[in-house]
Amino acid sequence: MVIFEHPLNEKSRSYLRLEYIFGQIAKSRHLTASSDPEAFFKGILDLHELMERCEIRGDLTKDLEKHLESVNHWATIPGVDLNRIHLLQEQLSKFIYQLPRLSRITQTLKEDRFLSAVRQRFSIPGGLCSFDLPQLYFWLNLSEEEKAADCKRWLADFQPLIGALQLNLKLSRDSSHFNNEVAKNGFYQDNADNADMIRIKISPMLGFYPTVSGHKSRFAIRFLPHGDEQAQDIPFQIASC
């Protein structure tokens, strides 16, 4: 089964994009594959641009506070794992304290001369060649320790944000439940009151993928064929969170 996620508001759109960027950086930061440098620096530059355009710390703090209220309620239910509850309370409280106190979060990336040189060449097709960007070619031939130290320095200011975002999305996803539905002739629409995003689970064996339109609490899903399949009733599962 494949899970597709679609945000229903701009806040969740930013959350999912940041999660994708953080994942891209995490997978490529060790620079072991030939394609890793380009993926890593694209992730770093995308992270800087997105964080310059949107300020999510306020929304993220409010969402974590809501999760903390729910976790505090769970603690009153008999038979719950109190060790797990206390761990969540500590994690949520830590991020709620840290997020509003993060200042100039993109400053390190903005002021780094090496990253500025990479940024100028990145939009040029093939602009990361050694003759276009000898600084990058030199950096890639530094020791593993030196490169790891630079990567750690570039990402240090983002660590609380990364942890807070991952915890928020995990709790949101874990709180939702998938329900079985059928898209008649490939089309389905519904309400998702108080939801930030919908999650769609479908078998790739059916040969269809979902496209979603809508915002806030109203959405519509149309399943399109990957190949030559004809429109038909599509069984799938959906969750709102």
Side-chain angles (χ1 to χ4, degrees), residues 138-157:
F138 176 82
W139 185 86
L140 290 172
N141 284 279
L142 294 177
S143 68
E144 297 301 321
E145 291 76 15
E146 289 175 292
K147 289 185 289 188
D150 281 336
C151 294
K152 183 178 181 180
R153 175 172 56 83
W154 291 329
L155 295 171
D157 293 338

Side-chain angles (χ1 to χ4, degrees), residues 1-4 178 180-181 199-210 223-226 229 232-238:
M1 303 291 281
V2 179
I3 296 178
F4 295 84
F178 282 99
N180 294 316
E181 299 289 350
R199 310 181 74 208
I200 302 162
K201 186 186 294 186
I202 184 172
S203 170
M205 300 299 293
L206 294 173
F208 287 81
Y209 62 91
F223 290 89
L224 301 179
H226 175 65
E229 293 84 0
Q232 57 185 273
D233 292 351
I234 307 293
F236 70 102
Q237 295 179 314
I238 188 169

